[in-house]
Amino acid sequence: MPQAPLARVGNHPADPYRWLEQRDKPPVLAYLEAENAYLEAELADVGALRETLFQEIKGRIRETDLSLPVPWGPYLYYQRTTAGDEYPRHYRCPRPTDGSLRTDERCEELLLDPNALADGGYLSLGAFEISPDHARLAYSLDTSGDEIYRLFVRELDGGTLQELPFEDCDGSMTWANDSETLFFAELDDTQRPHKLYRYRLGADEAELVFNEPDGRFFIHCYRASSERQLVLLSNSKTTCEAWVLDAERPEKAFVCLAPRQEGHEYYPDHGRIDGDWGWLIRSNQDGINFAVYQAPEGSPSREHWRPRIGHDAARTIEDLSLNTAGFVLSLREQGLPIVEVHPADATPYRVELPDAAYSLDVQDSLEFDSAAIRLRYEALNRPAQIRQLSLVDGAQQVLKETPVEGPFNADDYQSLRLWAEAADGARIPISLVARRDTLGRPAPLYLYGYGAYGESLDPWFSHARLSLLERGFVFAIAHVRGGGELGEAWYRAGKLEHKENTFGDFIAVAEHLIAEGFTSADRLAISGGSAGGLLIGAVLNRRPELFAAAIAEVPFVDVLNTMHNPELPLTVTEYDEWGDPNDPEVHARIKAYAPYENVRAQAYPAILAVAGYHDSRVQYWEAAKWVAKLRASRTDDNLLLLKTEFGAGHGGMSGRYQALKDVALEYAFLLKVLGLADSQR
């Protein structure tokens, strides 16, 4: 078994494993490789099970499939996956004159083949932007996982390819309406997009149009719904500032809608409102749950904003979009996503859906001049559907449902919404799914959590998860404070000085699931990634006896040391989420829950930690140091494994088959440590 080395590089007596931060040094690489070898040796006895799981999961996925075509201008745009390929290919074909979505392979055009570009290695496609005249494709590629992209433009009529001569790009690319001008963002030394450039094809250099000096703020440029305006958004986690530009006149300067004011978040969109071109702005200036304001096209500044949809303490307005038929609000109410439609000349209504707990997203993929929108809908027991919604009358049509190959019946699985009670009386939502014949007795249970940044873990369907459910597992999601499931107040109740609520909520959910007979402590596995990995590390220190196994993906476990290092990517921007540890009070608060800081001599459950060597968000050494300290401190001999993906970043391996193999490894680990592997060979 690998042991935490006794030697240290440098003088860091308070952090004996800081030497693992020396990227690319031979001792560090040797240590990580030894950990990977140890993992493979310890899981050798479930090697056949890993392959069985991989083939099983892969067998449920339709390997050769066509995405739902998107009509735009004279073409249908779509993707095709082919058996054996890691990535989908991108195509277009002429748009049928009958208004159908029927593609014609005889005249289709291959736009991009990521399989050829990856050549067996890592590949992440950032931007994929067709120019407004449909003559060019702008795209960006990350080939290491570090989220630094190279920019390309392809002439679609002749295939001429140009790599743009710019470095340290965040991958975003936005066309102006002349189809000649591109806007892109540059990263600073901490990998924060801080400068926006304007580039006209064929020019010798790009022009700097915006520079954001505040390390808390990221910039992002995008086309408004109308495609008549460009929006430049500079935002921290608590404050926004938006600038707009006529997409027909990209040589002009961006105009600010409202100068930044600490705590004011606002997000503009452009379209036809009551028959006239104008702006709708989602803003929290009158309350944390946001309201909607409108402004004339020519006078979008804040003094011209007029209320359109008022603030409501019972619901949060999470997003809005416009088209010629009206505008759509994405709401959050009682822990569920809701779509509310405001047709141009009709009474507003809410979209009706069949399940009690679900995931629902508005897809802004159709043209602005469309009478319909597309919705993505799924539940824990229902594969994702793309539904078309007629805005005028609310009629829905399921255009495509993600297929599940082989035997599958959604009715064999029961999805439940439960509630646990935290120590302070707060009610914590739980989403749960299992085979109907599993419920009614304690079973192995996989509990997932995140609880940060206001992100909502809405229930989602998983082909891979069926392999656990078919083996008698229950799967549950703990919607703890710090997430956004119950609105902005729920998020704020789990950040900064309230972060302890996140950990207490998760423990309360685990205790509730045990008390209600869904599982027992010796069959309870927990999992989380990134900030969810911090959650996993924190609750393991507090209540290790409550869990039998834990999986921590790219875990943010060395939070105190990371937040003390402003040279690392994202640190300064994270102060709004965790606090600035240079403040003694904040330092003490973070130190009290930081997983790495609080490892101690006690028995821990079996643990699998996974890191990405090129991860720019959570450095690989966080997981490595945490595992090393656990090895030296724990009093148990349970399985403790570290896997470092040398060809990946924050999102794990990029290819679809590579990702499935990683899932198979994690499931085999769980079956082994829960004593269920022998019956599954």
Side-chain angles (χ1 to χ4, degrees), residues 497-512:
E497 68 271 20
H498 306 297
K499 191 61 195 172
E500 288 287 348
N501 286 334
T502 304
F503 316 132
D505 290 356
F506 192 86
I507 290 170
V509 167
E511 292 176 331
H512 180 81

PDB file of all heavy atoms in Angstrom, residues 497-512:
ATOM      1  N   GLU A 497     -20.872  32.565   6.168  1.00  0.00           N
ATOM      2  CA  GLU A 497     -20.964  32.217   7.591  1.00  0.00           C
ATOM      3  C   GLU A 497     -22.018  31.150   7.879  1.00  0.00           C
ATOM      4  O   GLU A 497     -22.099  30.642   8.999  1.00  0.00           O
ATOM      5  CB  GLU A 497     -21.251  33.469   8.430  1.00  0.00           C
ATOM      6  CG  GLU A 497     -22.624  34.085   8.233  1.00  0.00           C
ATOM      7  CD  GLU A 497     -22.653  35.115   7.110  1.00  0.00           C
ATOM      8  OE1 GLU A 497     -21.751  35.096   6.242  1.00  0.00           O
ATOM      9  OE2 GLU A 497     -23.593  35.940   7.104  1.00  0.00           O
ATOM     10  N   HIS A 498     -22.827  30.804   6.858  1.00  0.00           N
ATOM     11  CA  HIS A 498     -23.861  29.781   7.040  1.00  0.00           C
ATOM     12  C   HIS A 498     -23.467  28.443   6.419  1.00  0.00           C
ATOM     13  O   HIS A 498     -24.323  27.551   6.303  1.00  0.00           O
ATOM     14  CB  HIS A 498     -25.177  30.253   6.416  1.00  0.00           C
ATOM     15  CG  HIS A 498     -25.647  31.590   6.910  1.00  0.00           C
ATOM     16  ND1 HIS A 498     -25.976  31.822   8.227  1.00  0.00           N
ATOM     17  CD2 HIS A 498     -25.823  32.777   6.262  1.00  0.00           C
ATOM     18  CE1 HIS A 498     -26.347  33.080   8.378  1.00  0.00           C
ATOM     19  NE2 HIS A 498     -26.259  33.678   7.199  1.00  0.00           N
ATOM     20  N   LYS A 499     -22.208  28.278   6.043  1.00  0.00           N
ATOM     21  CA  LYS A 499     -21.814  27.071   5.316  1.00  0.00           C
ATOM     22  C   LYS A 499     -22.041  25.807   6.128  1.00  0.00           C
ATOM     23  O   LYS A 499     -22.303  24.741   5.546  1.00  0.00           O
ATOM     24  CB  LYS A 499     -20.331  27.164   4.897  1.00  0.00           C
ATOM     25  CG  LYS A 499     -19.922  26.064   3.921  1.00  0.00           C
ATOM     26  CD  LYS A 499     -20.729  26.164   2.649  1.00  0.00           C
ATOM     27  CE  LYS A 499     -20.641  24.916   1.807  1.00  0.00           C
ATOM     28  NZ  LYS A 499     -21.569  24.941   0.657  1.00  0.00           N
ATOM     29  N   GLU A 500     -21.970  25.875   7.425  1.00  0.00           N
ATOM     30  CA  GLU A 500     -22.180  24.688   8.253  1.00  0.00           C
ATOM     31  C   GLU A 500     -23.550  24.053   8.002  1.00  0.00           C
ATOM     32  O   GLU A 500     -23.733  22.848   8.206  1.00  0.00           O
ATOM     33  CB  GLU A 500     -22.026  25.037   9.732  1.00  0.00           C
ATOM     34  CG  GLU A 500     -20.595  25.319  10.172  1.00  0.00           C
ATOM     35  CD  GLU A 500     -19.739  24.054  10.251  1.00  0.00           C
ATOM     36  OE1 GLU A 500     -20.305  22.945  10.184  1.00  0.00           O
ATOM     37  OE2 GLU A 500     -18.514  24.186  10.368  1.00  0.00           O
ATOM     38  N   ASN A 501     -24.530  24.852   7.559  1.00  0.00           N
ATOM     39  CA  ASN A 501     -25.853  24.295   7.274  1.00  0.00           C
ATOM     40  C   ASN A 501     -25.792  23.222   6.194  1.00  0.00           C
ATOM     41  O   ASN A 501     -26.544  22.245   6.237  1.00  0.00           O
ATOM     42  CB  ASN A 501     -26.817  25.402   6.830  1.00  0.00           C
ATOM     43  CG  ASN A 501     -27.259  26.285   7.973  1.00  0.00           C
ATOM     44  OD1 ASN A 501     -27.276  25.865   9.126  1.00  0.00           O
ATOM     45  ND2 ASN A 501     -27.617  27.519   7.667  1.00  0.00           N
ATOM     46  N   THR A 502     -24.909  23.419   5.204  1.00  0.00           N
ATOM     47  CA  THR A 502     -24.784  22.439   4.123  1.00  0.00           C
ATOM     48  C   THR A 502     -24.446  21.067   4.680  1.00  0.00           C
ATOM     49  O   THR A 502     -25.057  20.058   4.305  1.00  0.00           O
ATOM     50  CB  THR A 502     -23.697  22.888   3.126  1.00  0.00           C
ATOM     51  OG1 THR A 502     -24.008  24.195   2.630  1.00  0.00           O
ATOM     52  CG2 THR A 502     -23.587  21.922   1.957  1.00  0.00           C
ATOM     53  N   PHE A 503     -23.475  21.025   5.569  1.00  0.00           N
ATOM     54  CA  PHE A 503     -23.016  19.744   6.121  1.00  0.00           C
ATOM     55  C   PHE A 503     -24.061  19.148   7.065  1.00  0.00           C
ATOM     56  O   PHE A 503     -24.328  17.940   7.031  1.00  0.00           O
ATOM     57  CB  PHE A 503     -21.686  19.944   6.853  1.00  0.00           C
ATOM     58  CG  PHE A 503     -20.708  20.799   6.096  1.00  0.00           C
ATOM     59  CD1 PHE A 503     -20.035  21.839   6.727  1.00  0.00           C
ATOM     60  CD2 PHE A 503     -20.479  20.587   4.740  1.00  0.00           C
ATOM     61  CE1 PHE A 503     -19.144  22.638   6.030  1.00  0.00           C
ATOM     62  CE2 PHE A 503     -19.591  21.386   4.036  1.00  0.00           C
ATOM     63  CZ  PHE A 503     -18.922  22.425   4.686  1.00  0.00           C
ATOM     64  N   GLY A 504     -24.665  19.986   7.895  1.00  0.00           N
ATOM     65  CA  GLY A 504     -25.695  19.500   8.799  1.00  0.00           C
ATOM     66  C   GLY A 504     -26.898  18.954   8.048  1.00  0.00           C
ATOM     67  O   GLY A 504     -27.492  17.934   8.448  1.00  0.00           O
ATOM     68  N   ASP A 505     -27.265  19.616   6.946  1.00  0.00           N
ATOM     69  CA  ASP A 505     -28.400  19.151   6.148  1.00  0.00           C
ATOM     70  C   ASP A 505     -28.126  17.766   5.566  1.00  0.00           C
ATOM     71  O   ASP A 505     -29.006  16.888   5.560  1.00  0.00           O
ATOM     72  CB  ASP A 505     -28.685  20.126   5.009  1.00  0.00           C
ATOM     73  CG  ASP A 505     -29.259  21.444   5.481  1.00  0.00           C
ATOM     74  OD1 ASP A 505     -29.506  21.594   6.695  1.00  0.00           O
ATOM     75  OD2 ASP A 505     -29.449  22.342   4.642  1.00  0.00           O
ATOM     76  N   PHE A 506     -26.917  17.576   5.051  1.00  0.00           N
ATOM     77  CA  PHE A 506     -26.585  16.287   4.431  1.00  0.00           C
ATOM     78  C   PHE A 506     -26.629  15.163   5.466  1.00  0.00           C
ATOM     79  O   PHE A 506     -27.161  14.075   5.202  1.00  0.00           O
ATOM     80  CB  PHE A 506     -25.200  16.373   3.786  1.00  0.00           C
ATOM     81  CG  PHE A 506     -24.871  15.213   2.890  1.00  0.00           C
ATOM     82  CD1 PHE A 506     -25.259  15.207   1.564  1.00  0.00           C
ATOM     83  CD2 PHE A 506     -24.154  14.124   3.373  1.00  0.00           C
ATOM     84  CE1 PHE A 506     -24.947  14.139   0.722  1.00  0.00           C
ATOM     85  CE2 PHE A 506     -23.835  13.048   2.553  1.00  0.00           C
ATOM     86  CZ  PHE A 506     -24.234  13.063   1.223  1.00  0.00           C
ATOM     87  N   ILE A 507     -26.086  15.431   6.629  1.00  0.00           N
ATOM     88  CA  ILE A 507     -26.122  14.429   7.705  1.00  0.00           C
ATOM     89  C   ILE A 507     -27.563  14.144   8.108  1.00  0.00           C
ATOM     90  O   ILE A 507     -27.949  12.983   8.337  1.00  0.00           O
ATOM     91  CB  ILE A 507     -25.277  14.909   8.898  1.00  0.00           C
ATOM     92  CG1 ILE A 507     -23.784  14.875   8.523  1.00  0.00           C
ATOM     93  CG2 ILE A 507     -25.538  14.063  10.139  1.00  0.00           C
ATOM     94  CD1 ILE A 507     -22.878  15.547   9.532  1.00  0.00           C
ATOM     95  N   ALA A 508     -28.407  15.195   8.167  1.00  0.00           N
ATOM     96  CA  ALA A 508     -29.812  15.000   8.515  1.00  0.00           C
ATOM     97  C   ALA A 508     -30.517  14.134   7.477  1.00  0.00           C
ATOM     98  O   ALA A 508     -31.364  13.290   7.833  1.00  0.00           O
ATOM     99  CB  ALA A 508     -30.512  16.352   8.645  1.00  0.00           C
ATOM    100  N   VAL A 509     -30.186  14.324   6.199  1.00  0.00           N
ATOM    101  CA  VAL A 509     -30.779  13.497   5.146  1.00  0.00           C
ATOM    102  C   VAL A 509     -30.358  12.038   5.319  1.00  0.00           C
ATOM    103  O   VAL A 509     -31.183  11.119   5.230  1.00  0.00           O
ATOM    104  CB  VAL A 509     -30.376  14.028   3.758  1.00  0.00           C
ATOM    105  CG1 VAL A 509     -30.716  13.012   2.671  1.00  0.00           C
ATOM    106  CG2 VAL A 509     -31.065  15.358   3.478  1.00  0.00           C
ATOM    107  N   ALA A 510     -29.058  11.809   5.569  1.00  0.00           N
ATOM    108  CA  ALA A 510     -28.576  10.437   5.762  1.00  0.00           C
ATOM    109  C   ALA A 510     -29.283   9.778   6.950  1.00  0.00           C
ATOM    110  O   ALA A 510     -29.728   8.619   6.864  1.00  0.00           O
ATOM    111  CB  ALA A 510     -27.066  10.445   5.978  1.00  0.00           C
ATOM    112  N   GLU A 511     -29.405  10.502   8.048  1.00  0.00           N
ATOM    113  CA  GLU A 511     -30.072   9.952   9.229  1.00  0.00           C
ATOM    114  C   GLU A 511     -31.546   9.662   8.953  1.00  0.00           C
ATOM    115  O   GLU A 511     -32.098   8.654   9.419  1.00  0.00           O
ATOM    116  CB  GLU A 511     -29.930  10.922  10.400  1.00  0.00           C
ATOM    117  CG  GLU A 511     -28.500  11.040  10.913  1.00  0.00           C
ATOM    118  CD  GLU A 511     -28.352  12.077  12.004  1.00  0.00           C
ATOM    119  OE1 GLU A 511     -29.130  13.061  12.011  1.00  0.00           O
ATOM    120  OE2 GLU A 511     -27.465  11.916  12.858  1.00  0.00           O
ATOM    121  N   HIS A 512     -32.186  10.529   8.186  1.00  0.00           N
ATOM    122  CA  HIS A 512     -33.596  10.329   7.850  1.00  0.00           C
ATOM    123  C   HIS A 512     -33.788   9.076   7.001  1.00  0.00           C
ATOM    124  O   HIS A 512     -34.717   8.283   7.251  1.00  0.00           O
ATOM    125  CB  HIS A 512     -34.119  11.552   7.104  1.00  0.00           C
ATOM    126  CG  HIS A 512     -35.561  11.462   6.709  1.00  0.00           C
ATOM    127  ND1 HIS A 512     -36.581  11.727   7.580  1.00  0.00           N
ATOM    128  CD2 HIS A 512     -36.147  11.107   5.526  1.00  0.00           C
ATOM    129  CE1 HIS A 512     -37.741  11.549   6.963  1.00  0.00           C
ATOM    130  NE2 HIS A 512     -37.510  11.176   5.712  1.00  0.00           N
TER     131      HIS A 512
END
